[in-house]
Amino acid sequence: MKLIICDSYEEGCLEGAKIILDVVKSNPKAVLGLATGSTPIGVYKEMVKDFKDNHTSYKDVISYNLDEYFGLEGTHPQSYRYFMEQHLFQYLDIDPANVHVPLGHGDIEKNADDYNAMLDKDVRDIQLLGIGSNGHIGFNEPGESFDSITHVVDLKESTIQDNAKLFFDGDIDAVPKKAITMGIKNIMDAKKILLMAFGINKRYAIKELVEGTMREEVPATILQKHDDVIVIVDKEAAIDLLK
Ligand code: F6R
């Protein structure tokens, strides 16, 4: 695991974007695993800037998002599909047919099976991850099996609270209580993993990820077993390391 400690969110996002852009530039047909949430917004800003300045093409790039809230259509402003359009896809030349976000409505079990089949076919060259304050990756909450594949989950109270603060104006009741997410095994199948975390709220998760014992109670600790992981954090998220 390679750890990069940055001075600021902006610096971390620039570093993160460079890593993703290297993958896209070296393989125009790259398969990207993408994330939502507050963490990657700056990375997507850098990718959009690069697209405008350097015209890096996404014409043949394929993308798979980690997760989606249960019950929200892609047109809902809080859905992750909508988030991706707003922050990234609308600005790039990516083919909409190559964009995949799990479907959080309809026949959810079938959606999960279909997503697993597609992920098996299109091995991701890189998977971008944020991390929950409780150590979740994707929406794989503490206790999730390391062998899990795309499935429906009940969100933990701490995740609902974190997301209410960031995206639902503090309205806990407005946050969906379930989601569909890539499983931990799907995440580990990516060739390269880039995990990013900023702010004091992530101190526990980063301490466990880097120095903790690998266990299902802290899902991100599985990444210790992957042989190509880059972790980008700021000083606040890294504050408990080596203490
Ligand atoms: C988002 C996702 C989640 C977030 C995590 C951190 O697609 O899968 O695991 O990465 O909850 O969220 P933020 O970045 O908002 O702190």
Coordinates of all heavy atoms in Angstrom, one line a residue, residues 67-161:
D67 N -22.0 2.3 -6.5 CA -23.3 2.1 -5.7 C -24.3 3.1 -6.1 O -24.1 4.1 -6.8 CB -23.0 2.1 -4.2 CG -22.0 3.3 -3.8 OD1 -21.8 4.2 -4.6 OD2 -21.5 3.2 -2.7
E68 N -25.5 2.9 -5.6 CA -26.7 3.7 -5.8 C -27.6 3.6 -4.7 O -27.8 2.5 -4.1 CB -27.3 3.4 -7.1 CG -28.6 4.2 -7.5 CD -28.3 5.7 -7.6 OE1 -28.2 6.3 -6.6 OE2 -28.3 6.2 -8.8
Y69 N -28.3 4.7 -4.3 CA -29.4 4.5 -3.3 C -30.5 3.7 -3.8 O -30.8 3.8 -5.0 CB -29.9 5.9 -2.9 CG -29.0 6.7 -2.0 CD1 -28.6 8.0 -2.4 CD2 -28.6 6.3 -0.8 CE1 -27.8 8.8 -1.6 CE2 -27.8 7.0 0.0 CZ -27.4 8.3 -0.4 OH -26.6 9.0 0.4
F70 N -31.1 3.0 -2.9 CA -32.3 2.1 -3.2 C -33.5 3.0 -3.4 O -33.7 3.9 -2.5 CB -32.5 1.1 -2.1 CG -33.6 0.2 -2.3 CD1 -33.4 -1.0 -3.1 CD2 -34.8 0.4 -1.8 CE1 -34.4 -1.9 -3.3 CE2 -35.9 -0.5 -1.9 CZ -35.6 -1.7 -2.7
G71 N -34.3 2.9 -4.4 CA -35.5 3.6 -4.6 C -35.4 4.9 -5.3 O -36.4 5.5 -5.5
L72 N -34.2 5.3 -5.6 CA -34.1 6.6 -6.4 C -33.8 6.4 -7.8 O -32.9 5.6 -8.2 CB -33.0 7.5 -5.8 CG -33.0 7.9 -4.3 CD1 -32.0 9.0 -4.0 CD2 -34.4 8.4 -4.0
E73 N -34.6 7.0 -8.7 CA -34.4 7.0 -10.1 C -33.2 7.8 -10.5 O -32.9 8.7 -9.7 CB -35.6 7.5 -10.9 CG -36.9 6.8 -10.5 CD -37.4 5.9 -11.7 OE1 -36.8 6.0 -12.8 OE2 -38.4 5.2 -11.5
G74 N -32.6 7.6 -11.6 CA -31.4 8.3 -12.0 C -31.6 9.8 -12.2 O -30.7 10.6 -12.2
T75 N -32.9 10.2 -12.3 CA -33.2 11.6 -12.5 C -33.4 12.4 -11.2 O -33.5 13.6 -11.1 CB -34.5 11.8 -13.3 OG1 -35.5 10.9 -12.7 CG2 -34.4 11.4 -14.7
H76 N -33.4 11.6 -10.1 CA -33.5 12.2 -8.7 C -32.2 13.0 -8.4 O -31.1 12.4 -8.5 CB -33.8 11.1 -7.7 CG -34.2 11.7 -6.4 ND1 -33.4 12.3 -5.5 CD2 -35.4 11.7 -5.7 CE1 -34.0 12.7 -4.4 NE2 -35.3 12.3 -4.5
P77 N -32.3 14.2 -7.9 CA -31.1 15.0 -7.7 C -30.2 14.4 -6.6 O -29.0 14.7 -6.6 CB -31.6 16.4 -7.2 CG -33.0 16.4 -7.7 CD -33.5 15.0 -7.8
Q78 N -30.7 13.5 -5.8 CA -29.8 12.9 -4.8 C -29.3 11.5 -5.2 O -28.6 10.9 -4.5 CB -30.5 12.8 -3.4 CG -31.0 14.1 -2.8 CD -29.9 15.1 -2.6 OE1 -28.7 14.8 -2.7 NE2 -30.2 16.3 -2.4
S79 N -29.7 11.1 -6.4 CA -29.2 9.8 -6.9 C -27.8 9.9 -7.3 O -27.3 11.0 -7.7 CB -30.1 9.3 -8.0 OG -29.8 10.0 -9.2
Y80 N -27.1 8.8 -7.2 CA -25.7 8.8 -7.6 C -25.5 8.9 -9.1 O -24.5 9.5 -9.6 CB -25.0 7.6 -7.0 CG -24.7 7.7 -5.5 CD1 -24.3 6.6 -4.8 CD2 -24.9 8.9 -4.9 CE1 -24.1 6.7 -3.4 CE2 -24.7 9.0 -3.5 CZ -24.2 7.9 -2.8 OH -24.0 8.0 -1.4
R81 N -26.4 8.4 -9.9 CA -26.4 8.6 -11.3 C -26.4 10.1 -11.7 O -25.6 10.6 -12.5 CB -27.6 7.8 -11.9 CG -28.0 8.3 -13.3 CD -27.0 8.0 -14.4 NE -27.0 6.6 -14.8 CZ -26.5 6.1 -15.9 NH1 -25.9 6.9 -16.7 NH2 -26.5 4.9 -16.2
Y82 N -27.3 10.8 -11.0 CA -27.5 12.2 -11.2 C -26.2 13.0 -10.8 O -25.7 13.8 -11.5 CB -28.6 12.8 -10.4 CG -29.1 14.2 -10.7 CD1 -30.0 14.4 -11.7 CD2 -28.6 15.3 -10.0 CE1 -30.4 15.7 -12.0 CE2 -29.0 16.6 -10.3 CZ -29.9 16.8 -11.3 OH -30.3 18.1 -11.5
F83 N -25.6 12.6 -9.7 CA -24.4 13.1 -9.2 C -23.3 13.0 -10.2 O -22.5 14.0 -10.5 CB -24.0 12.4 -7.9 CG -22.6 12.8 -7.3 CD1 -22.5 13.6 -6.2 CD2 -21.4 12.2 -7.9 CE1 -21.3 13.9 -5.7 CE2 -20.2 12.6 -7.3 CZ -20.1 13.4 -6.2
M84 N -23.2 11.8 -10.8 CA -22.1 11.6 -11.8 C -22.3 12.4 -13.0 O -21.3 12.9 -13.6 CB -22.0 10.1 -12.2 CG -21.5 9.2 -11.1 SD -20.0 9.6 -10.3 CE -18.8 9.5 -11.7
E85 N -23.5 12.6 -13.4 CA -23.8 13.5 -14.6 C -23.4 14.9 -14.3 O -22.7 15.5 -15.1 CB -25.3 13.4 -15.0 CG -25.8 12.1 -15.5 CD -25.1 11.8 -16.9 OE1 -24.7 12.7 -17.6 OE2 -25.1 10.6 -17.2
Q86 N -23.8 15.3 -13.1 CA -23.5 16.7 -12.7 C -22.0 17.0 -12.6 O -21.6 18.1 -13.0 CB -24.2 17.0 -11.3 CG -25.7 17.0 -11.3 CD -26.2 18.0 -12.4 OE1 -25.9 19.2 -12.3 NE2 -27.0 17.6 -13.3
H87 N -21.3 16.1 -12.0 CA -19.9 16.4 -11.7 C -18.9 16.0 -12.7 O -17.8 16.5 -12.8 CB -19.5 15.8 -10.3 CG -20.1 16.4 -9.2 ND1 -19.7 17.6 -8.7 CD2 -21.2 16.1 -8.4 CE1 -20.5 18.0 -7.6 NE2 -21.4 17.0 -7.5
L88 N -19.3 15.0 -13.6 CA -18.3 14.5 -14.5 C -18.8 14.2 -15.9 O -18.4 14.8 -16.9 CB -17.7 13.2 -14.0 CG -16.5 12.6 -14.7 CD1 -15.3 13.5 -14.6 CD2 -16.1 11.2 -14.2
F89 N -19.8 13.3 -16.1 CA -20.1 12.8 -17.4 C -20.5 13.8 -18.4 O -20.2 13.8 -19.6 CB -21.1 11.7 -17.3 CG -20.7 10.4 -16.5 CD1 -21.6 9.7 -15.7 CD2 -19.4 10.0 -16.5 CE1 -21.3 8.6 -15.0 CE2 -19.0 8.9 -15.8 CZ -19.9 8.2 -15.0
Q90 N -21.3 14.8 -17.9 CA -21.9 15.8 -18.9 C -20.7 16.6 -19.6 O -20.9 17.1 -20.6 CB -22.8 16.7 -18.2 CG -22.2 17.6 -17.1 CD -23.1 18.8 -16.7 OE1 -23.8 19.4 -17.6 NE2 -23.2 19.0 -15.4
Y91 N -19.6 16.6 -18.9 CA -18.5 17.4 -19.5 C -17.5 16.6 -20.4 O -16.7 17.2 -21.0 CB -17.6 18.0 -18.3 CG -18.4 18.9 -17.4 CD1 -18.8 18.5 -16.1 CD2 -18.9 20.2 -17.8 CE1 -19.6 19.3 -15.3 CE2 -19.6 21.0 -17.0 CZ -20.0 20.5 -15.7 OH -20.7 21.3 -14.9
L92 N -17.6 15.3 -20.4 CA -16.7 14.5 -21.1 C -17.3 14.0 -22.4 O -18.5 14.0 -22.6 CB -16.2 13.3 -20.3 CG -15.7 13.6 -18.9 CD1 -15.3 12.2 -18.2 CD2 -14.5 14.5 -18.9
D93 N -16.5 13.4 -23.3 CA -17.0 12.8 -24.5 C -17.3 11.3 -24.3 O -17.3 10.5 -25.2 CB -16.0 13.0 -25.7 CG -14.7 12.3 -25.4 OD1 -14.4 11.9 -24.3 OD2 -13.9 12.2 -26.4
I94 N -17.5 10.9 -23.0 CA -17.8 9.5 -22.8 C -19.1 9.1 -23.4 O -20.1 9.9 -23.4 CB -17.8 9.2 -21.2 CG1 -17.7 7.7 -20.9 CG2 -19.0 9.8 -20.5 CD1 -17.3 7.4 -19.5
D95 N -19.2 7.9 -24.0 CA -20.4 7.3 -24.6 C -21.4 6.9 -23.5 O -21.0 6.1 -22.7 CB -20.0 6.1 -25.5 CG -21.2 5.5 -26.2 OD1 -22.3 5.9 -25.9 OD2 -20.9 4.7 -27.1
P96 N -22.6 7.5 -23.5 CA -23.5 7.1 -22.4 C -23.7 5.6 -22.3 O -24.0 5.1 -21.2 CB -24.8 7.8 -22.8 CG -24.4 9.0 -23.7 CD -23.1 8.5 -24.4
A97 N -23.6 4.9 -23.4 CA -23.8 3.5 -23.4 C -22.7 2.8 -22.6 O -22.8 1.6 -22.2 CB -23.8 2.9 -24.9
N98 N -21.5 3.4 -22.4 CA -20.4 2.8 -21.7 C -20.4 3.2 -20.2 O -19.5 2.8 -19.5 CB -19.1 3.3 -22.3 CG -18.8 2.7 -23.6 OD1 -19.4 1.7 -24.0 ND2 -17.9 3.3 -24.4
V99 N -21.4 4.0 -19.8 CA -21.5 4.4 -18.4 C -22.4 3.5 -17.6 O -23.6 3.2 -18.1 CB -22.1 5.8 -18.3 CG1 -22.6 6.2 -16.9 CG2 -21.0 6.8 -18.8
H100 N -22.0 3.0 -16.5 CA -22.8 2.0 -15.7 C -22.9 2.5 -14.2 O -21.8 2.8 -13.6 CB -22.2 0.6 -15.7 CG -22.0 0.1 -17.1 ND1 -20.8 0.3 -17.8 CD2 -22.8 -0.6 -17.9 CE1 -20.9 -0.3 -19.0 NE2 -22.1 -0.8 -19.1
V101 N -24.1 2.7 -13.7 CA -24.3 2.9 -12.3 C -25.4 1.9 -11.9 O -26.3 1.7 -12.6 CB -24.9 4.4 -12.1 CG1 -25.1 4.6 -10.6 CG2 -23.9 5.4 -12.7
P102 N -25.2 1.2 -10.8 CA -26.2 0.2 -10.4 C -27.6 0.8 -10.4 O -27.7 2.0 -10.0 CB -25.7 -0.3 -9.0 CG -24.3 0.2 -8.8 CD -24.1 1.3 -9.8
L103 N -28.6 0.0 -10.8 CA -29.9 0.5 -10.8 C -30.6 0.3 -9.5 O -30.7 -0.9 -9.0 CB -30.7 -0.2 -11.9 CG -30.6 0.3 -13.3 CD1 -31.4 -0.5 -14.3 CD2 -31.0 1.8 -13.4
G104 N -31.0 1.4 -8.8 CA -31.5 1.2 -7.4 C -33.0 1.1 -7.4 O -33.6 1.2 -6.3
H105 N -33.6 0.8 -8.5 CA -35.1 0.6 -8.5 C -35.4 -0.6 -9.5 O -34.5 -1.0 -10.2 CB -35.8 1.8 -9.0 CG -35.3 2.4 -10.3 ND1 -35.8 2.0 -11.5 CD2 -34.2 3.2 -10.6 CE1 -35.2 2.6 -12.5 NE2 -34.2 3.3 -12.0
G106 N -36.6 -1.0 -9.5 CA -37.0 -2.1 -10.4 C -36.7 -3.4 -9.7 O -36.7 -3.5 -8.5
D107 N -36.3 -4.4 -10.5 CA -36.0 -5.8 -10.0 C -34.6 -5.7 -9.5 O -33.6 -6.0 -10.2 CB -36.2 -6.8 -11.1 CG -36.0 -8.2 -10.6 OD1 -35.4 -8.4 -9.5 OD2 -36.4 -9.2 -11.2
I108 N -34.4 -5.4 -8.3 CA -33.1 -5.1 -7.7 C -32.2 -6.3 -7.7 O -31.0 -6.2 -7.9 CB -33.3 -4.5 -6.3 CG1 -32.2 -3.5 -6.0 CG2 -33.6 -5.4 -5.2 CD1 -32.5 -2.1 -6.3
E109 N -32.8 -7.5 -7.4 CA -31.9 -8.7 -7.4 C -31.4 -9.0 -8.8 O -30.2 -9.3 -9.0 CB -32.7 -9.9 -6.9 CG -33.2 -9.8 -5.5 CD -32.1 -9.6 -4.5 OE1 -31.0 -10.0 -4.7 OE2 -32.4 -9.0 -3.4
K110 N -32.2 -8.8 -9.8 CA -31.8 -9.0 -11.2 C -30.7 -7.9 -11.5 O -29.7 -8.2 -12.2 CB -33.0 -8.9 -12.1 CG -32.5 -9.1 -13.6 CD -33.7 -9.2 -14.5 CE -33.2 -9.4 -16.0 NZ -32.2 -8.5 -16.4
N111 N -31.0 -6.7 -11.1 CA -30.0 -5.6 -11.4 C -28.6 -6.0 -10.8 O -27.6 -5.8 -11.4 CB -30.4 -4.3 -10.7 CG -31.7 -3.8 -11.3 OD1 -32.2 -4.3 -12.3 ND2 -32.3 -2.8 -10.7
A112 N -28.6 -6.5 -9.6 CA -27.4 -6.9 -8.9 C -26.7 -8.0 -9.7 O -25.5 -8.0 -10.0 CB -27.6 -7.3 -7.5
D113 N -27.5 -9.0 -10.2 CA -26.9 -10.1 -10.9 C -26.3 -9.6 -12.2 O -25.2 -10.0 -12.6 CB -27.9 -11.2 -11.2 CG -28.3 -12.0 -10.0 OD1 -27.6 -11.8 -9.0 OD2 -29.4 -12.7 -10.0
D114 N -27.0 -8.8 -12.9 CA -26.6 -8.2 -14.2 C -25.3 -7.4 -14.0 O -24.3 -7.5 -14.8 CB -27.6 -7.3 -14.8 CG -28.8 -8.0 -15.3 OD1 -28.8 -9.3 -15.3 OD2 -29.8 -7.4 -15.6
Y115 N -25.2 -6.7 -12.9 CA -24.0 -5.8 -12.6 C -22.8 -6.7 -12.4 O -21.7 -6.5 -12.9 CB -24.3 -4.9 -11.4 CG -23.6 -3.6 -11.5 CD1 -24.0 -2.7 -12.5 CD2 -22.6 -3.2 -10.6 CE1 -23.4 -1.4 -12.6 CE2 -22.0 -2.0 -10.7 CZ -22.4 -1.1 -11.7 OH -21.7 0.1 -11.8
N116 N -23.0 -7.8 -11.6 CA -21.9 -8.7 -11.3 C -21.4 -9.3 -12.6 O -20.2 -9.5 -12.8 CB -22.4 -9.8 -10.4 CG -22.5 -9.3 -9.0 OD1 -21.6 -8.6 -8.5 ND2 -23.5 -9.7 -8.3
A117 N -22.3 -9.7 -13.5 CA -21.9 -10.3 -14.8 C -21.1 -9.3 -15.6 O -20.0 -9.6 -16.2 CB -23.1 -10.7 -15.6
M118 N -21.5 -8.0 -15.6 CA -20.8 -7.0 -16.4 C -19.4 -6.7 -15.8 O -18.4 -6.6 -16.5 CB -21.6 -5.7 -16.4 CG -22.8 -5.8 -17.3 SD -23.6 -4.2 -17.6 CE -24.4 -3.9 -16.1
L119 N -19.3 -6.7 -14.4 CA -18.1 -6.5 -13.8 C -17.1 -7.6 -14.0 O -15.9 -7.4 -14.2 CB -18.2 -6.3 -12.3 CG -19.0 -5.1 -11.8 CD1 -19.3 -5.1 -10.3 CD2 -18.2 -3.8 -12.1
D120 N -17.6 -8.8 -14.1 CA -16.7 -10.0 -14.4 C -16.1 -9.9 -15.8 O -15.0 -10.3 -16.1 CB -17.5 -11.3 -14.3 CG -17.7 -11.7 -12.9 OD1 -17.1 -11.1 -12.0 OD2 -18.5 -12.6 -12.6
K121 N -16.9 -9.3 -16.7 CA -16.5 -9.2 -18.2 C -15.5 -8.0 -18.3 O -14.5 -8.2 -19.0 CB -17.8 -9.0 -19.0 CG -17.5 -8.9 -20.5 CD -18.8 -8.9 -21.3 CE -19.6 -7.6 -21.1 NZ -19.1 -6.4 -21.6
D122 N -15.8 -6.9 -17.7 CA -15.0 -5.7 -17.9 C -14.2 -5.5 -16.6 O -14.6 -4.8 -15.7 CB -15.9 -4.5 -18.1 CG -16.6 -4.5 -19.4 OD1 -16.1 -5.0 -20.4 OD2 -17.7 -3.9 -19.5
V123 N -13.0 -6.1 -16.6 CA -12.2 -5.9 -15.4 C -11.7 -4.5 -15.3 O -11.2 -3.9 -16.2 CB -11.0 -6.9 -15.5 CG1 -10.1 -6.7 -14.2 CG2 -11.4 -8.3 -15.5
R124 N -11.9 -3.8 -14.1 CA -11.6 -2.4 -14.0 C -10.0 -2.2 -13.9 O -9.4 -3.0 -13.1 CB -12.2 -1.8 -12.7 CG -13.7 -1.4 -12.9 CD -14.5 -1.6 -11.7 NE -14.6 -3.1 -11.4 CZ -14.5 -3.6 -10.2 NH1 -14.4 -2.9 -9.2 NH2 -14.6 -4.9 -10.1
D125 N -9.5 -1.3 -14.6 CA -8.1 -1.0 -14.6 C -7.8 -0.2 -13.3 O -6.7 -0.3 -12.8 CB -7.7 -0.1 -15.8 CG -7.8 -0.9 -17.1 OD1 -7.1 -1.9 -17.2 OD2 -8.8 -0.7 -17.9
I126 N -8.7 0.6 -12.9 CA -8.6 1.3 -11.6 C -9.9 1.5 -10.9 O -10.9 1.7 -11.6 CB -7.9 2.7 -11.8 CG1 -7.6 3.4 -10.5 CG2 -8.7 3.6 -12.7 CD1 -6.6 4.5 -10.6
Q127 N -10.0 1.4 -9.6 CA -11.2 1.6 -8.9 C -10.9 2.8 -7.9 O -10.0 2.7 -7.0 CB -11.6 0.4 -8.1 CG -12.8 0.6 -7.1 CD -14.1 0.9 -7.9 OE1 -14.5 0.1 -8.8 NE2 -14.7 2.0 -7.6
L128 N -11.7 3.8 -8.0 CA -11.6 5.0 -7.1 C -12.5 4.7 -5.9 O -13.7 4.3 -6.1 CB -12.0 6.3 -7.8 CG -12.1 7.5 -7.0 CD1 -10.7 7.9 -6.5 CD2 -12.6 8.7 -7.9
L129 N -12.0 5.0 -4.7 CA -12.8 4.8 -3.5 C -12.7 6.0 -2.6 O -11.6 6.5 -2.4 CB -12.3 3.6 -2.7 CG -12.4 2.2 -3.3 CD1 -11.7 1.2 -2.3 CD2 -13.8 1.7 -3.6
G130 N -13.8 6.3 -1.9 CA -13.8 7.1 -0.7 C -13.8 6.1 0.5 O -13.8 4.9 0.2
I131 N -14.0 6.5 1.7 CA -14.1 5.6 2.8 C -15.1 6.2 3.8 O -15.0 7.4 4.1 CB -12.7 5.3 3.4 CG1 -12.8 4.2 4.5 CG2 -12.0 6.6 4.0 CD1 -11.4 3.7 4.9
G132 N -15.9 5.4 4.4 CA -16.8 5.9 5.4 C -16.1 6.1 6.7 O -15.0 5.5 6.9
S133 N -16.7 7.0 7.6 CA -16.0 7.2 8.9 C -16.0 5.9 9.7 O -15.1 5.8 10.6 CB -16.7 8.3 9.6 OG -18.1 8.0 9.8
N134 N -16.8 4.9 9.3 CA -16.8 3.6 10.0 C -16.0 2.6 9.3 O -15.9 1.4 9.6 CB -18.2 3.1 10.3 CG -19.0 2.9 9.0 OD1 -18.4 3.0 7.9 ND2 -20.3 2.6 9.0
G135 N -15.3 3.0 8.2 CA -14.4 2.1 7.4 C -15.2 1.4 6.3 O -14.6 0.5 5.7
H136 N -16.4 1.9 5.9 CA -17.0 1.2 4.8 C -16.4 1.6 3.5 O -15.8 2.7 3.4 CB -18.6 1.4 4.8 CG -19.0 2.8 4.4 ND1 -20.0 3.5 5.1 CD2 -18.6 3.6 3.4 CE1 -20.2 4.6 4.5 NE2 -19.4 4.8 3.5
I137 N -16.5 0.7 2.5 CA -16.1 1.0 1.1 C -17.2 0.6 0.2 O -17.8 -0.4 0.4 CB -14.7 0.3 0.7 CG1 -14.7 -1.2 1.1 CG2 -13.5 1.1 1.3 CD1 -13.5 -1.9 0.6
G138 N -17.5 1.4 -0.8 CA -18.8 1.3 -1.5 C -19.8 1.5 -0.3 O -19.6 2.3 0.6
F139 N -20.8 0.7 -0.4 CA -21.7 0.8 0.8 C -21.6 -0.5 1.6 O -22.6 -1.0 2.1 CB -23.2 1.1 0.4 CG -23.5 2.5 0.4 CD1 -24.2 3.1 -0.7 CD2 -23.1 3.4 1.4 CE1 -24.6 4.4 -0.7 CE2 -23.4 4.7 1.4 CZ -24.1 5.3 0.3
N140 N -20.5 -1.1 1.6 CA -20.2 -2.3 2.3 C -19.9 -1.9 3.8 O -18.8 -1.5 4.1 CB -19.1 -3.1 1.7 CG -19.4 -3.6 0.4 OD1 -20.2 -4.5 0.2 ND2 -18.8 -3.0 -0.7
E141 N -20.9 -2.1 4.6 CA -20.9 -1.6 6.0 C -20.1 -2.6 6.9 O -19.9 -3.8 6.5 CB -22.3 -1.4 6.5 CG -23.1 -0.3 5.8 CD -22.7 1.1 6.2 OE1 -21.6 1.3 6.7 OE2 -23.5 2.0 6.0
P142 N -19.7 -2.2 8.1 CA -19.0 -3.1 9.0 C -19.8 -4.4 9.2 O -21.0 -4.5 9.3 CB -19.0 -2.3 10.3 CG -18.9 -0.9 9.9 CD -19.8 -0.8 8.6
G143 N -19.0 -5.5 9.0 CA -19.6 -6.9 9.2 C -19.9 -7.5 7.9 O -20.1 -8.7 7.8
E144 N -19.8 -6.8 6.8 CA -20.0 -7.4 5.4 C -19.0 -8.4 5.1 O -17.8 -8.2 5.4 CB -20.0 -6.2 4.4 CG -20.4 -6.7 3.0 CD -21.8 -7.1 3.0 OE1 -22.7 -6.4 3.3 OE2 -22.1 -8.3 2.6
S145 N -19.4 -9.5 4.4 CA -18.5 -10.5 4.1 C -17.4 -10.0 3.1 O -17.8 -9.3 2.1 CB -19.2 -11.7 3.5 OG -18.3 -12.5 2.8
F146 N -16.2 -10.4 3.3 CA -15.1 -10.0 2.3 C -15.4 -10.7 0.9 O -14.8 -10.3 -0.1 CB -13.8 -10.4 2.8 CG -13.2 -9.5 3.9 CD1 -12.1 -10.0 4.7 CD2 -13.6 -8.2 4.0 CE1 -11.6 -9.1 5.6 CE2 -13.1 -7.4 5.0 CZ -12.0 -7.8 5.8
D147 N -16.3 -11.7 0.9 CA -16.6 -12.4 -0.4 C -17.8 -11.8 -1.1 O -18.2 -12.4 -2.1 CB -16.9 -13.9 -0.1 CG -15.7 -14.6 0.5 OD1 -14.5 -14.2 0.0 OD2 -15.8 -15.5 1.3
S148 N -18.3 -10.7 -0.6 CA -19.6 -10.2 -1.1 C -19.4 -9.7 -2.5 O -18.3 -9.2 -2.9 CB -20.2 -9.1 -0.2 OG -19.2 -8.1 -0.1
I149 N -20.5 -9.9 -3.3 CA -20.5 -9.3 -4.7 C -21.7 -8.3 -4.7 O -22.3 -8.1 -3.6 CB -20.6 -10.4 -5.8 CG1 -21.8 -11.3 -5.5 CG2 -19.3 -11.1 -5.9 CD1 -22.0 -12.4 -6.6
T150 N -22.0 -7.7 -5.8 CA -23.1 -6.7 -5.8 C -24.4 -7.1 -5.2 O -24.9 -8.2 -5.5 CB -23.4 -6.2 -7.3 OG1 -22.2 -5.9 -7.9 CG2 -24.3 -5.1 -7.3
H151 N -24.9 -6.3 -4.2 CA -26.0 -6.8 -3.4 C -26.7 -5.5 -2.8 O -26.2 -4.4 -2.9 CB -25.5 -7.7 -2.3 CG -24.6 -7.1 -1.3 ND1 -23.4 -6.6 -1.7 CD2 -24.7 -6.8 0.0 CE1 -22.7 -6.1 -0.7 NE2 -23.5 -6.2 0.4
V152 N -27.8 -5.8 -2.2 CA -28.6 -4.7 -1.5 C -28.2 -4.7 -0.1 O -28.0 -5.7 0.5 CB -30.1 -5.0 -1.6 CG1 -30.9 -3.9 -0.9 CG2 -30.5 -5.0 -3.1
V153 N -28.0 -3.5 0.5 CA -27.6 -3.4 1.9 C -28.5 -2.4 2.6 O -29.1 -1.5 2.1 CB -26.1 -2.8 2.0 CG1 -25.1 -3.8 1.6 CG2 -26.0 -1.5 1.2
D154 N -28.5 -2.6 4.0 CA -29.1 -1.7 4.9 C -28.0 -0.7 5.3 O -27.0 -1.2 5.8 CB -29.7 -2.4 6.1 CG -30.9 -3.2 5.8 OD1 -31.7 -2.7 5.0 OD2 -31.0 -4.4 6.2
L155 N -28.2 0.6 5.2 CA -27.2 1.5 5.6 C -27.1 1.6 7.1 O -28.2 1.6 7.8 CB -27.4 2.9 5.0 CG -27.4 2.9 3.5 CD1 -27.6 4.3 2.9 CD2 -26.1 2.3 2.9
K156 N -26.0 1.8 7.7 CA -25.8 2.0 9.1 C -26.2 3.4 9.5 O -26.1 4.3 8.7 CB -24.3 1.7 9.6 CG -23.9 0.3 9.4 CD -24.1 -0.5 10.7 CE -23.4 -1.8 10.6 NZ -24.2 -3.0 10.6
E157 N -26.6 3.5 10.8 CA -27.1 4.8 11.3 C -26.0 5.9 11.0 O -26.2 7.0 10.6 CB -27.4 4.7 12.8 CG -28.2 5.9 13.3 CD -29.5 6.2 12.6 OE1 -30.1 5.3 12.1 OE2 -29.7 7.5 12.4
S158 N -24.7 5.5 11.3 CA -23.6 6.5 11.2 C -23.5 7.0 9.7 O -23.2 8.2 9.4 CB -22.3 6.0 11.7 OG -21.9 4.8 10.9
T159 N -23.7 6.1 8.8 CA -23.6 6.4 7.3 C -24.8 7.4 7.0 O -24.6 8.3 6.2 CB -23.6 5.2 6.5 OG1 -22.5 4.3 6.9 CG2 -23.6 5.5 5.0
I160 N -25.9 7.0 7.5 CA -27.1 7.9 7.2 C -26.9 9.3 7.7 O -27.2 10.3 7.0 CB -28.4 7.2 7.8 CG1 -28.7 5.9 7.0 CG2 -29.6 8.2 7.7 CD1 -29.7 5.0 7.7
Q161 N -26.3 9.4 8.9 CA -26.1 10.7 9.5 C -25.0 11.4 8.7 O -25.2 12.6 8.4 CB -25.6 10.5 11.0 CG -26.7 10.3 11.9 CD -26.3 10.0 13.3 OE1 -25.1 10.1 13.6 NE2 -27.2 9.5 14.2

